[in-house]
Amino acid sequence: MNAKSNLRQSFANALNLRNGDEIETLEYRGIPQWNSLAHMQLVQEIETTFDVMLDTEDVIGLSSFQKALGILSKHGIDITA
Amino acid sequence: MGFIRSMRFLIDGRCDPNAYAAYDAASAAWYTYGALQAEVDRVAERLRHDRKLLVFCFIRNNIRSVTAYLGALEAGHAVVLLDPDLEPSLKLSLIALYRPGLILESGDTETPGRSGYRCGIPTEDGPSIWSSDEPAAGEIHEQLTLLLSTSGSTGSPKLVRLSRDNVLSNALAIRDALEIGSDERAISSLPFYYSYGLSVLHSHLAAGASVVLTDEKITSSAFWERVRATECTSFAGVPYMYMILDRLRLDNLNVPSLKTLTQAGGKLGNELIFRFHQLMSRRGGRFFVMYGQTEATARIAVLPHSCLPEKLGSVGKAILGGTLRVEQADGEPAGPGQSGELVFNGPNVMMGYASGPDDLALGDAMHGELRTQDIGCCDADGFFVITGRSRRFAKLFGLRINLDEIEAMLKVHGPTAVIDGENQLLIYCEHGESGHYAEYGTLLADRLKLHKTAFRFHKVDRLPLTSNGKIDYPRLQTRP
């Protein structure tokens, strides 16, 4: 499994979604179940899956799948793999 | 001062009409007390009727919703504040039961298929106003002003009936307990259909202070940008929000104006209370632990910042004008350290409950006394500690959830018992297996807007019963 697919799974788990391509265009305003609790669940999923520690800026900046890719890349994870 | 006619019951008559009352993030506009009053009067004009009506107001944290609410009060109606994101079927059954004369919505989530209601010509910045062809004919008590749901997201028809005196006395008591001055500015971090969130609006208006209206969540950078740009001084949160705030680290959020944090809506762990108290002391600010119930309009007790860490774990003393006492099972007053039911007396105790339109005519059934059904004790210095809740309610992420309602939803599948675990509901079923449970969990999560991990299912052969055949909840509670 590559990083993108793992990240899709993190989103699917945290937001009660099917792991499909539409996740990649998700934004937090777009779906009602992305509330602050699901947000922290998502943070936890990402931290566990990728063994990273998100800082304050990462946590509050995590507003879309694309933003999440950027954060992973900042933490040195190869998101093209 | 003539301009303050309507909200005069909420707003201090001496407040400056040129002072800021609210900032609306959606339209990026400031409203002075004068401008807010003008908006409220405009809405009230459209809502006036030859008799007192019941008004359903689906309220968001924006200026349209707030002026709709205050306008309906100004027009002399009784207002029910409701969650605009309530499931449409639940909205419709509440409407069918109470048949309100007017329904106010702030735009983006209209309830579809509402028969028997006509929508007035919408104005650009006002609420959508739906009026009933045939409102419920019953009387509405002249004191009845505000009705709040006892459990927001299950759409329960049981409402708390509040009078004008309830609302005003609690707003003023909170203003005084938290020493809210006219220079204070609160960020609207909680919804207004929730009594704690609404108390932030009321107490700030009563103080001539201001409120920043936003629907942003505390996990979004936009929320904190708003706090920074509008220089908010206070933040109100329920326990789960403090867990998030602890993870975010307040000092990293670059919001130096934030000096006051208040916490209510359930028990926050002592470790976090200690940490936030230290943090706010370091910032030259204050952290208040509070206790309340919707049945008491909002607030019952407040623990001042200066009493920590000495009184760690306490919810403080009763607000001004109220008294709190502990009563033992035999009705005798409990001595210091002895546990019993907390009983509150005060001008903010509700008139009573309503479970249907006929109850709107009822007067005060409580006479200022509320048996909280919370268990606690009082120490030798008069500080109260809550040790348990005897009510069949759980506080989950600040939401009050009626356990019996959840149980009723699942009982169609077989015997079910639901109890409160910490930040989780523990659901014991004599039926089903993991596949079913996953499905029920998703459905419940959807309905209550919680994450599915908030529900933990256990299969049991037999639910423990008491000698008279009722579910033995204390025994379930002690299961490993």
Side-chain angles (χ1 to χ4, degrees):
Chain A
M1 289 251 270
N2 61 29
K4 243 185 188 173
S5 164
N6 282 336
L7 186 60
R8 275 206 307 267
Q9 192 57 50
S10 298
F11 272 76
N13 291 346
L15 303 175
N16 279 336
L17 299 166
R18 274 189 318 109
N19 183 354
D21 291 340
E22 66 276 17
I23 284 179
E24 299 198 16
T25 58
L26 269 188
E27 295 204 22
Y28 93 103
R29 279 176 222 269
I31 52 169
Q33 67 264 43
W34 193 337
N35 55 27
S36 53
L37 295 170
H39 190 91
M40 297 316 284
Q41 190 76 28
L42 177 61
V43 168
Q44 202 187 327
E45 292 271 354
I46 290 175
E47 289 187 331
T48 318
T49 308
F50 297 95
D51 193 22
V52 291
M53 179 76 185
L54 302 192
D55 61 26
T56 302
E57 204 184 317
D58 294 336
V59 174
I60 63 175
L62 182 59
S63 55
S64 67
F65 185 86
Q66 295 305 319
K67 283 270 168 61
L69 282 177
I71 290 165
L72 287 182
S73 156
K74 188 186 103 180
H75 283 270
I77 287 155
D78 184 1
I79 55 167
T80 57
Chain B
M1 212 166 283
F3 85 95
I4 300 164
R5 280 190 310 121
S6 73
M7 300 179 293
R8 68 174 170 257
F9 93 95
L10 262 182
I11 295 177
D12 187 332
R14 291 161 301 178
C15 96
D16 177 2
N18 297 314
Y20 285 136
Y23 176 78
D24 182 45
S27 60
W30 283 101
Y31 287 77
T32 61
Y33 273 91
L36 179 65
Q37 184 62 55
E39 279 301 309
V40 168
D41 284 344
R42 222 155 53 97
V43 176
E45 217 38 64
R46 299 179 60 202
L47 300 182
R48 261 183 239 289
H49 199 271
D50 50 16
R51 67 182 181 98
K52 185 171 186 169
L53 297 174
L54 185 68
V55 179
F56 272 18
C57 180
F58 292 96
I59 192 163
R60 289 194 187 281
N61 291 3
N62 61 35
I63 198 74
R64 274 165 95 187
S65 283
V66 168
T67 52
Y69 162 54
L70 295 174
L73 291 184
E74 164 67 14
H77 299 310
V79 185
V80 190
L81 293 182
L82 293 160
D83 178 0
D85 294 321
L86 206 59
E87 221 180 74
S89 65
L90 295 175
K91 280 188 188 177
L92 289 174
S93 56
L94 279 173
I95 292 168
L97 175 65
Y98 279 99
R99 282 183 297 142
L102 296 165
I103 301 171
L104 310 179
E105 286 182 293
S106 61
D108 40 351
T109 48
E110 300 286 322
T111 315
R114 200 181 295 124
S115 61
Y117 284 87
R118 283 169 289 117
C119 189
I121 303 144
T123 59
E124 202 179 308
D125 46 3
S128 308
I129 302 171
W130 296 79
S131 32
S132 169
D133 296 333
E134 203 185 337
E139 277 295 300
I140 297 174
H141 196 276
E142 51 143 350
Q143 287 289 317
L144 185 62
T145 296
L146 173 66
L147 297 107
L148 295 173
S149 171
T150 50
S151 65
S153 46
T154 49
S156 163
K158 193 171 175 188
L159 303 175
V160 165
R161 293 183 288 123
L162 299 170
S163 70
R164 194 165 267 236
D165 283 347
N166 290 157
V167 174
L168 178 63
S169 66
N170 210 220
L172 294 175
I174 294 166
R175 179 193 68 182
D176 295 345
L178 304 180
E179 299 168 315
I180 303 172
S182 60
D183 52 344
E184 290 280 338
R185 182 166 297 152
I187 182 82
S188 64
S189 44
L190 297 163
F192 293 139
Y193 54 83
Y194 170 44
S195 58
Y196 179 17
L198 188 63
S199 76
V200 173
L201 177 70
H202 287 168
S203 58
H204 280 72
L205 289 180
S210 50
V211 178
V212 170
L213 305 169
T214 177
D215 264 330
E216 290 289 349
K217 302 286 171 274
I218 62 164
T219 43
S220 87
S221 56
F223 180 91
W224 298 105
E225 277 159 25
R226 209 75 78 206
V227 173
R228 192 178 311 130
T230 56
E231 298 182 314
C232 288
T233 60
S234 77
F235 170 93
V238 296
Y240 88 86
M241 291 163 73
Y242 282 99
M243 293 179 207
I244 293 176
L245 203 52
D246 184 51
R247 170 70 174 77
L248 291 178
R249 301 197 174 281
L250 190 60
D251 285 343
N252 289 349
L253 288 165
N254 185 23
V255 283
S257 58
L258 209 54
K259 294 285 192 206
T260 303
L261 305 184
T262 64
Q263 183 268 317
K267 172 94 185 89
L268 182 65
N270 283 350
E271 197 182 313
L272 277 184
I273 293 175
F274 184 77
R275 218 174 311 164
F276 275 103
H277 176 258
Q278 285 212 312
L279 171 69
M280 292 316 284
S281 297
R282 218 164 44 233
R283 288 170 68 104
R286 304 168 304 163
F287 179 62
F288 291 96
V289 175
M290 316 192 295
Y291 163 64
Q293 282 191 357
T294 303
E295 284 83 347
T297 309
R299 198 58 44 231
I300 290 176
V302 175
L303 179 69
H305 178 85
S306 59
C307 296
L308 282 170
E310 288 74 23
K311 297 295 178 186
L312 190 65
S314 165
V315 294
K317 296 182 175 184
I319 50 168
L320 211 62
T323 56
L324 200 50
R325 67 175 195 274
V326 182
E327 218 177 86
Q328 293 179 301
D330 55 8
E332 290 297 307
Q338 277 184 317
S339 143
E341 184 184 6
L342 292 179
V343 182
F344 176 73
N345 286 76
N348 50 313
V349 171
M350 65 172 177
M351 300 169 73
Y353 293 109
S355 11
D358 294 346
D359 296 340
L360 304 178
L362 298 177
D364 178 11
M366 306 294 288
H367 309 294
E369 179 161 296
L370 177 68
R371 307 199 66 91
T372 64
Q373 300 191 35
D374 286 330
I375 307 299
C377 58
C378 180
D379 73 10
D381 301 324
F383 285 80
F384 288 84
V385 175
I386 294 173
T387 51
R389 289 169 206 277
S390 57
R391 221 185 258 272
R392 288 279 294 144
F393 279 109
K395 281 283 176 82
L396 216 53
F397 308 109
L399 287 173
R400 190 159 94 161
I401 292 173
N402 185 331
L403 299 173
D404 293 330
E405 282 176 19
I406 307 285
E407 227 170 72
M409 288 181 206
L410 294 167
K411 261 184 187 157
V412 292
H413 306 291
T416 311
V418 184
I419 60 169
D420 187 13
E422 233 162 75
N423 281 321
Q424 222 176 23
L425 293 187
L426 305 180
I427 304 174
Y428 296 91
C429 305
E430 288 184 16
H431 53 89
E433 37 82 32
S434 58
H436 297 118
Y437 299 159
E439 190 189 317
Y440 303 156
T442 308
L443 278 172
L444 286 173
D446 224 40
R447 171 159 292 200
L448 301 172
K449 297 184 192 68
L450 290 170
H451 195 259
K452 61 187 173 192
T453 53
F455 310 96
R456 172 174 278 175
F457 287 84
H458 297 277
K459 176 80 181 259
V460 290
D461 290 335
R462 279 277 167 269
L463 291 169
L465 299 178
T466 61
S467 53
N468 55 14
K470 289 190 175 154
I471 293 171
D472 189 350
Y473 293 109
R475 216 156 104 213
L476 273 178
Q477 208 86 53
T478 57
R479 272 175 69 109

